[in-house]
Amino acid sequence: MEKRVIILGGGPNRIGQGIEFDYCCVHASFALKEDGYESIMVNCNPETVSTDYDTSTRLYFEPITFEDVMNIIEKEKPIGVILQFGGQTPLKLALPLKNEGVKILGTDPVAIDIAEDRKKFSKLLEKLNLNQPPNGTAFTYEEAKKIANELGYPVLVRPSYVLGGRAMEIVYDEESLKEYIEKAVEVSPEHPILIDKFLEDAIEVDVDAICDGQICVIGGVMEHIEEAGIHSGDSAMVLPPYSLKKEIVEEIKESTKKIALSLNIIGLINIQYAIKNDKVYVLEVNPRASRTIPFVSKAIGIPLAKLATKIMLGKNLKELNFTEEIELNYFAVKESVFPFNRFGNVDAVLGPEMKSTGEVMGIDKSFEIAYAKSQLAAGQNLPIRGNVFISVKDKDKPHIISIAKELEILGFKILASAGTGKVLSEAGVNVKIIPKIYEGRPNILDYIINDEISLIINTPSGKKPKKDIVSIRTIAVQRNIPLITTIPGAKATLYAIKKLKESQLNVIDIKEYYKMRKDGGNN
Amino acid sequence: MPKRTDIKRILLIGSGPIIIGQACEFDYSGSQACKALKEEGYEVILVNSNPATIMTDPDMADKIYIEPLIAEIVAKIIEKERPDALLPTLGGQTALNITTQLYEMGILDKFKVKLIGANYYAIKKAEDRELFKKSMEKIGLKVPKSGIAHNLKEAEEVAKKIGFPVIIRPAYTLGGTGSSIAYNIEEFREYAEVGLKASLISEILIEQSLYGWKEYELEVMRDLKDNVVIICSIENFDPMGVHTGDSITVAPVQTLTDKEYQNMRDAAIKIIREIGVETGGSNIQFAVNPENGEMVVIEMNPRVSRSSALASKATGFPIAKIATKLAIGYTLDEIPNDITKKTPACFEPTIDYCVVKIPKFNFEKFPGSLPYLSTSMKSVGEVMAIGRTFKEALQKALRSLEENFFGLEDINLKMELEDGLRIPNPYRVFYIKKAIKEGKTIDEIYNLCKIDKWFLSNIKEIVDFEKEIEKFKNREIDYETMKKAKELGFSDRQIGKIVGKSEIEIRNLRKRYGIEVDYKCVDTCAAEFIAYTPYYYSTYEHPEVIKLE
């Protein structure tokens, strides 16, 4: 009889846990079959490739709950269960299954516990001499207030008992903190809230790596386009980094290897970092397949989830001939797509809670074109001429000047709200000030409805946005006008538009890119 | 008929990013298509912008373009790769729209690219509301009263002619974007404007609302020899007015009389022939008036759809793969069924179990949005469960949702009971439970929600049995009750909650009683032939076997 391995799938798609995890499960199944194992898939999502009849040796169309999974384990008697590929769904079963004596393949569930337990996690980072944003845990409102004051606003607050950025918020002052605790979450001895110093304007980075316990190889370092504070599942990312210093990228890679080896990772690991004033902070460690594994795998041409499966079954990276990181001489940009147009009057703004349903990739030899492609693929029709409406929060006003100037040079006409317009005009930009909604007619809404606006740059203020700011963004989404809500996003868009004006978009088979790699696609 | 030898290179268009209304079912169908084409020795050129797909893996196609899915870009790929044919029916509405644009831009003609799977006119006839209506009338089928408008003024005239409430559907959109119901002229003006904007060609259809009618779907396939098979019948739990993607659905249909079902089958066969989808799968939606059985045709998708994925998984019949093989010239009688290896694809699948699909929602992520369901799809995912009965499958599906209930439990409900029954919402099945517990009759509940009484009675059986289980509060549940509870789909955890025991305690007791799960095979043929690529579902139904001496 062949040896059997059970793979637990990701269950229903939802925001935060989508096709990326199914992709990883399917790769696990392929890897098992390649190496002569019987692969047993458990999943209940009919939309997926993992529940196709010929993906695995056997398929159980069942709920992913303790009872249903245990029943299958008793019947199949597998040599082990893989649960680091299906997102949070199977991970929740790690300890209950382990307690029943089920062998969990790959990284020990203890590592998951260390990564998720705040105290143990801090201790680990301290031991490895790595930084983490100053933080604390509050059991009462009074405590929360005290911790926030000590750390200094803004702070990132979230309940300790939820995952995936649910109910996570950036709080800018005491009043908002009070409101958050009163309205959004319960705080009690059973349900503490976690408070982190929020690193404003930091650059965030995601790293995916693979480790066999002996060596750790970096899959990819992805620099986020949007600044810190936007959920990594919603942020655009570029692989390799386009603006970070070489030393910083090296430091990030070294830190990743240190963490992976000290947690004794057998399989995949994802780590999120923030960089502020050239200092690297560790934000989060996920000892499992992350949402970005398919993106990285496609960008570098290496099936990371497949390799990870083989490692879980006892092979090492040397045997698998993957001991060196792949260096790219092209850029891959991941952009997210959002369902705002489905939900009527909701504000189309990004934050620490994930809202995107899916992703696209733009790939090219130049970063600007790769970014432009990612925008087109995500449905943002970048204009190369027309009117740009700009309205940004005070903090962003100094940064918008150079962007507006360049847009003007590119032939765009600049329209702005009064506040932003004043700053731009003083800086020498030829700007037409138009009223916001409720400030007279014709206002921005009239311009939008008359199709006279081809791009909107509108950054939300940290505090609760004013009513009409919501409307501008909401209308933009309803009317499918390209909308940019962050300064780094505006910069990247500017570069992309510039490049689009001077060159054509070329289409290239992804396999041609792999041949362009520095290793000639031989890995 | 042998496969086509006049084509060698085939372009396949994927569906792009996961959005509401177009999710990973098109990775599933696209991957099957790639495999089927390669198996037959064709060169496959693939374009999809979504990197998180299996279909864009290096060995799935000969050439893989991860590029934006817009007509201009796909035109560049055509110019560079010079495919002989384009297969547009496996990448959802996105692929179909791009194909229509490429045709109209003259790109397909210019580079001599043949359309396979569906031709331009069939796509037009199915997608263009006015043409579709005319086609249906031609073959003697009814469609809802409707009219087309290109601006607000036209729209108002049509609405007045039909009478309120009316449904507004923009032409050429997916997942019902911009589609809505208006009950008065003010609402109508607002929604009509949004709809006109959402449509690619600024056109909306205004339709008679079939509120309270039952909704059905048939998955149909046709080949070049004009064979037609019905793969699966699906019934919506919610009546008309809720997007199919947002409704609980059940396969096979449960509440039609045989005569009604045969009528629907005949209609489906006529429709696919009239629209002229020569090869491949289509999805046809019907509404039936519960008062008198009157049937109207709602719409047709001349391509593999979300429901095709569900129908494939529900029956074991690989619709996307077969659709691909039909597109390259095979006929249904020539394609073997992978699962039985014995029967050809022209054997209609037989189901001897019940399948329930429940959508998953994420309203909490969008503060300010109301968790009400309508004709514009809002769900972000779905689960499917298989059981011997609707009751077992329903409870399994509910616990698959991962929402902290492990079956039809008592949950915190926010709306007033009557509103929760009347207004379609994600938790309506729990409001039905509550109403039954509070002593409302099936008729009273029906009058509020218009969900077929057969479904309501089944839910009542579950709720009534919960009372039987409750009698064992704080004492050991007996064998008979445990056995019956498991047959009705109650989970160990759910039973434990009712009687005040832990999941493990119930599990251990159940094992002591020797009540063990059984696995049955999804084999497309109700066990008539041996299945070779088995997939399984669990059940606690253990039929009494009569042994003959």
Side-chain angles (χ1 to χ4, degrees), chain B residues 523-539:
Chain B
D523 62 1
T524 71
C525 59
E528 195 179 338
F529 302 93
I530 295 167
Y532 289 92
T533 50
Y535 72 84
Y536 296 104
Y537 66 95
S538 69
T539 177

Side-chain angles (χ1 to χ4, degrees), chain A residues 27 48 53 62 67 74 505, chain B residues 57 76 338 486 511 538:
Chain A
H27 272 254
T48 57
Y53 72 103
E62 290 290 298
E67 173 181 351
E74 282 171 3
L505 289 181
Chain B
D57 269 356
K76 282 188 182 182
D338 285 347
K486 295 309 285 184
K511 299 220 153 226
S538 69

Side-chain angles (χ1 to χ4, degrees), chain B residues 410-421:
Chain B
D410 294 320
I411 64 166
N412 247 338
L413 294 169
K414 295 196 175 114
M415 283 191 257
E416 292 293 323
L417 180 58
E418 295 209 347
D419 288 342
L421 291 169

Side-chain angles (χ1 to χ4, degrees), chain A residues 18-164:
Chain A
I19 185 175
E20 300 84 1
F21 296 102
D22 197 69
Y23 167 94
C24 291
C25 291
V26 170
H27 272 254
S29 188
F30 291 167
L32 288 169
K33 286 204 214 164
E34 266 176 33
D35 281 10
Y37 295 87
E38 284 194 348
S39 64
I40 317 290
M41 183 73 70
V42 185
N43 202 2
C44 55
N45 183 342
E47 304 176 317
T48 57
V49 178
S50 71
T51 54
D52 204 355
Y53 72 103
D54 60 357
T55 295
S56 304
T57 313
R58 275 188 294 289
L59 164 68
Y60 286 85
F61 223 108
E62 290 290 298
I64 302 171
T65 67
F66 173 74
E67 173 181 351
D68 299 286
V69 171
M70 267 318 285
N71 285 344
I72 296 165
I73 290 171
E74 282 171 3
K75 178 170 192 282
E76 290 283 354
K77 303 192 175 58
I79 58 166
V81 177
I82 293 177
L83 38 70
Q84 57 166 272
F85 287 157
Q88 287 297 336
T89 302
L91 275 191
K92 282 188 289 194
L93 299 178
L95 285 175
L97 291 180
K98 199 183 172 191
N99 290 341
E100 294 292 312
V102 175
K103 170 129 180 78
I104 310 296
L105 295 173
T107 307
D108 195 290
V110 168
I112 302 170
D113 185 50
I114 295 175
E116 276 173 10
D117 184 303
R118 174 159 289 226
K119 274 201 187 121
K120 292 177 191 164
F121 183 58
S122 295
K123 226 182 227 168
L124 173 80
L125 293 185
E126 218 169 283
K127 198 182 89 192
L128 298 175
N129 206 10
L130 300 171
N131 307 311
Q132 145 179 60
N135 62 77
T137 304
F139 294 89
T140 63
Y141 170 59
E142 287 307 316
E143 269 178 32
K145 208 163 73 178
K146 195 166 150 259
I147 292 168
N149 276 327
E150 280 167 18
L151 298 176
Y153 288 95
V155 291
L156 186 69
V157 286
R158 71 194 131 138
S160 66
Y161 54 93
V162 294
L163 297 158

